[in-house]
C-alpha cells in the first residue's frame, strides 16, 4: 500500500494557494473559537497574534516544498503514499517546534510560568493540528486529482487491432513509432528511460489517426517535438531525436520532413 501512487500536483502556485488557505483558516479558527486563553487578548492583540499564527502555519508548510520537489524528482516524478506520509510527518514535527518557540518567545516572552511542554502539546497544539491537517490533506488531494485528470485528458491512445492491448501516453512523451511486420514498436519516454511497446497495428493506420506525427520513411513516423538535429552518414540522411535515436529519412518524404523539422527549430 505504501508503494501505491498518490495524487500529487507539483505546481508551486497551487502549494502557495494551500499555504494561504491554511493561514486564513488558522486565523479564523483562533479568532472566532478563542481556544484556552485567547479570549484574554484584546481586539488589537488578536489582530496581531492570530494572523501571525496563520502565517507561521503557512511558513511551516512552504518550508517543506524544496524537500518535496527533491523527493518528486528523485522518484522520477512519481509520488507515493509513503512519500505523502513522510511529508505530513515532517510538517507536524516542524509545526510543533515552530508553535512552541513562537509561544515562548513571542506570545509570553519572559513569562515565569508558561505552559509546560506536555500541557501545550495536549491542550493546544494537538487539537489545533486536528483542525488544520484536514485542510492540508484535502487541498493536496484535490489539486493532485485535478492534475491527474488533466494529464489523462491530454493523453493519446494508440490502439491495437481486435482485442490487442493499446497504449495511453502523453503526446510529448512519444518519440517515434517503427513498423515491425504486423506490429508497430512505440518508443516513448518513461521517467529517465526510453520504453518500447509492441502493439498489433499498422503504421499507416497510426499515421492517419495522428496527423501531428510525421512520416519520415515507410517504416517510421516521428514526433517532431523530439527532433534534435540532422545527421548524414554514407550519403543517407537521418534525424536525431531525443535519447540519441536516429531515424532514416527516405527520398519520398525528405522535402516535407525537412520543411516541418526545420520550422520546429527556428
Amino acid at each position: 500500500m505504501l508503494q501505491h501512487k498518490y495524487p500529487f500536483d507539483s505546481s508551486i502556485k497551487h502549494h502557495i494557494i494551500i499555504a494561504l488557505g491554511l493561514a486564513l483558516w488558522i486565523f479564523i479558527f483562533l479568532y472566532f473559537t478563542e481556544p484556552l486563553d485567547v479570549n484574554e487578548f484584546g481586539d488589537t492583540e488578536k489582530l496581531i497574534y492570530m494572523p501571525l499564527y496563520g502565517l507561521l502555519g503557512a511558513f511551516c508548510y512552504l518550508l517543506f516544498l524544496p524537500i518535496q520537489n527533491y523527493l518528486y524528482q528523485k522518484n522520477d516524478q512519481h509520488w507515493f503514499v509513503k512519500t505523502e506520509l513522510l511529508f505530513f510527518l515532517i510538517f507536524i514535527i516542524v509545526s510543533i517546534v515552530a508553535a512552541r518557540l513562537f509561544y515562548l518567545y513571542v506570545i509570553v516572552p519572559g513569562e515565569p510560568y508558561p505552559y509546560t511542554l506536555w500541557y501545550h502539546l495536549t491542550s493546544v497544539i494537538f487539537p489545533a493540528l486536528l483542525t488544520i491537517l484536514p485542510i492540508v490533506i484535502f487541498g493536496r488531494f484535490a489539486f493532485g486529482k485535478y492534475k491527474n485528470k488533466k494529464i489523462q485528458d491530454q493523453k493519446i491512445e494508440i490502439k491495437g487491432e481486435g482485442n490487442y492491448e493499446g497504449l495511453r501516453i502523453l503526446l510529448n512523451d512519444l518519440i517515434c513509432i517503427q513498423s515491425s511486420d504486423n506490429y508497430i514498436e512505440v518508443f516513448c519516454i518513461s521517467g529517465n528511460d526510453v520504453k518500447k511497446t509492441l502493439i498489433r497495428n499498422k503504421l499507416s493506420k497510426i499515421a492517419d489517426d495522428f496527423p501531428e506525427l510525421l512520416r519520415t520513411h515507410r517504416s517510421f513516423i516521428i514526433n517532431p517535438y523530439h527532433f534534435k538535429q540532422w545527421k548524414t552518414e554514407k550519403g543517407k540522411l537521418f534525424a536525431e531525436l531525443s535519447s540519441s535515436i536516429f531515424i532514416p529519412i527516405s527520398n519520398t518524404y525528405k522535402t516535407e520532413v525537412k520543411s516541418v523539422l526545420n520550422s520546429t527549430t527556428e
Side-chain angles (χ1 to χ4, degrees):
M1 179 180 177
L2 294 179
Q3 296 289 349
H4 290 176
K5 289 185 179 180
Y6 189 85
F8 178 72
D9 183 0
S10 60
S11 169
I12 296 297
K13 178 181 70 175
H14 291 165
H15 286 289
I16 291 176
I17 291 174
I18 294 174
L20 293 176
L22 179 61
L24 180 62
W25 169 243
I26 292 174
F27 167 72
I28 292 173
F29 173 76
L30 293 177
Y31 189 86
F32 289 102
T33 63
E34 298 185 339
L36 295 175
D37 56 359
V38 169
N39 58 0
E40 296 179 6
F41 288 143
D43 290 338
T44 302
E45 290 176 312
K46 286 183 182 179
L47 292 175
I48 293 174
Y49 293 124
M50 300 307 98
L52 286 178
Y53 265 118
L55 291 175
L56 182 66
F59 173 77
C60 291
Y61 182 84
L62 294 174
L63 191 65
F64 181 74
L65 294 190
I67 302 175
Q68 175 177 273
N69 183 64
Y70 168 77
L71 293 174
Y72 183 60
Q73 298 301 329
K74 182 181 179 182
N75 291 324
D76 295 331
Q77 297 188 349
H78 293 124
W79 197 256
F80 303 98
V81 172
K82 66 176 182 179
T83 328
E84 187 72 359
L85 292 176
L86 177 62
F87 159 77
F88 278 105
L89 176 63
I90 295 176
F91 175 66
I92 290 170
I93 293 173
V94 170
S95 297
I96 289 174
V97 173
R100 181 63 178 173
L101 294 176
F102 185 79
Y103 168 72
L104 291 176
Y105 296 105
V106 177
I107 302 298
V108 292
E111 172 67 37
Y113 302 108
Y115 295 147
T116 64
L117 177 59
W118 179 248
Y119 180 81
H120 198 197
L121 284 173
T122 57
S123 299
V124 181
I125 296 177
F126 287 160
L129 284 173
L130 288 177
T131 66
I132 291 170
L133 290 180
I135 300 298
V136 180
I137 292 171
F138 175 78
R140 290 172 63 86
F141 184 82
F143 275 124
K145 291 292 287 185
Y146 176 71
K147 180 184 178 182
N148 285 355
K149 184 179 184 304
K150 285 186 65 177
I151 290 176
Q152 290 301 319
D153 291 343
Q154 293 170 0
K155 285 185 175 181
I156 61 172
E157 182 176 11
I158 301 175
K159 298 180 179 179
E161 292 183 346
N163 295 323
Y164 289 91
E165 184 178 358
L167 178 66
R168 282 182 60 84
I169 56 173
L170 290 171
L171 178 61
N172 286 349
D173 285 344
L174 172 63
I175 301 176
C176 63
I177 302 175
Q178 180 179 4
S179 176
S180 180
D181 294 328
N182 294 323
Y183 292 83
I184 56 171
E185 191 169 15
V186 182
F187 294 72
C188 61
I189 293 175
S190 178
N192 295 322
D193 301 318
V194 174
K195 178 182 177 182
K196 301 178 184 179
T197 303
L198 200 63
I199 299 175
R200 185 177 178 86
N201 208 328
K202 297 178 180 178
L203 195 66
S204 57
K205 176 70 166 56
I206 301 301
D208 291 339
D209 290 344
F210 302 103
E212 57 268 59
L213 302 179
L214 183 63
R215 191 75 176 254
T216 65
H217 189 275
R218 63 183 179 86
S219 298
F220 290 93
I221 55 177
I222 70 171
N223 184 351
Y225 176 80
H226 287 281
F227 174 70
K228 298 298 182 183
Q229 62 182 359
W230 299 107
K231 183 176 181 180
T232 302
E233 185 175 322
K234 296 181 179 179
K236 295 182 179 180
L237 183 64
F238 294 84
E240 181 182 354
L241 307 181
S242 299
S243 301
S244 299
I245 296 176
F246 293 89
I247 304 298
I249 312 296
S250 68
N251 290 329
T252 305
Y253 302 101
K254 184 181 295 185
T255 301
E256 181 185 0
V257 170
K258 280 191 171 183
S259 174
V260 172
L261 294 185
N262 286 337
S263 67
T264 64
T265 57
E266 289 178 354

